Amino acid sequence: MAVHDALIGTYTRRGAEGIYNARFDSDSGHLEMTGVAARVPNPSYLACSDHTIYAVIEEEQGFVAAFARVDSELRELNRKPTQGAHPCHVSVVGDRVAAANYSSGSIALFSRLDDGSLGELCSVEQHAGRGPDSRRQAGPHAHM
């Protein structure tokens, strides 16, 4: 039996509480939710590096948050504004953390401190352009 621990981010607008602990049995395909790891609004996307978990907070005023894993809970180290709206992706590359702001079409890049917390905002790259469907694509939508 191959059982793996997992974390699941959610949208909290309809009763979910944030980031959940789960146990996944890859042999049977069974997924069991085992409790709330952190209560944070709309942590729709997660990334892991070492013992630190990063989550976007997908709101009009977007944030990315850093968490330390302490047993079955996540302890928030800090959070930083992404300088954009509705971040939908977070990625860790070396000593940097990047977040994509879907609605505002920008990418924010942060330094990462030794304890895993987010450091200074290094840059914000604003994308430009539009697509053929003017209702949905009037501006850029940064994502993964």
Side-chain angles (χ1 to χ4, degrees):
M1 175 155 60
V3 176
H4 309 277
D5 290 326
L7 292 169
I8 298 174
T10 63
Y11 287 108
T12 57
R13 294 180 193 109
R14 294 190 177 153
E17 295 182 65
I19 302 172
Y20 287 85
N21 287 307
R23 187 160 290 127
F24 178 65
D25 183 332
S26 59
D27 292 337
S28 70
H30 179 74
L31 178 69
E32 175 188 5
M33 305 294 269
T34 59
V36 177
R39 287 176 172 79
V40 59
N42 296 319
S44 64
Y45 201 92
L46 310 175
C48 178
S49 180
D50 301 320
H51 300 289
T52 308
I53 307 299
Y54 299 93
V56 297
I57 298 175
E58 192 171 336
E59 298 281 317
E60 182 70 33
Q61 165 73 42
F63 287 86
V64 63
F67 297 89
R69 195 168 229 180
V70 180
D71 298 322
S72 63
E73 294 184 9
L74 298 177
R75 181 178 52 86
E76 187 170 330
L77 298 171
N78 67 346
R79 67 175 72 176
K80 299 275 184 155
T82 61
Q83 308 299 314
H86 303 109
C88 61
H89 183 77
V90 62
S91 181
V92 181
V93 180
D95 63 350
R96 300 284 189 251
V97 175
N101 295 304
Y102 182 81
S103 295
S104 56
S106 61
I107 307 292
L109 185 66
F110 298 89
S111 64
R112 195 163 63 119
L113 303 179
D114 290 341
D115 68 353
S117 63
L118 297 161
E120 296 301 314
L121 178 67
C122 301
S123 67
V124 175
E125 184 69 31
Q126 179 62 55
H127 295 182
R130 62 177 182 263
D133 183 347
S134 61
R135 287 182 320 152
R136 290 187 57 248
Q137 300 169 324
H141 295 294
H143 209 294
M144 188 174 166

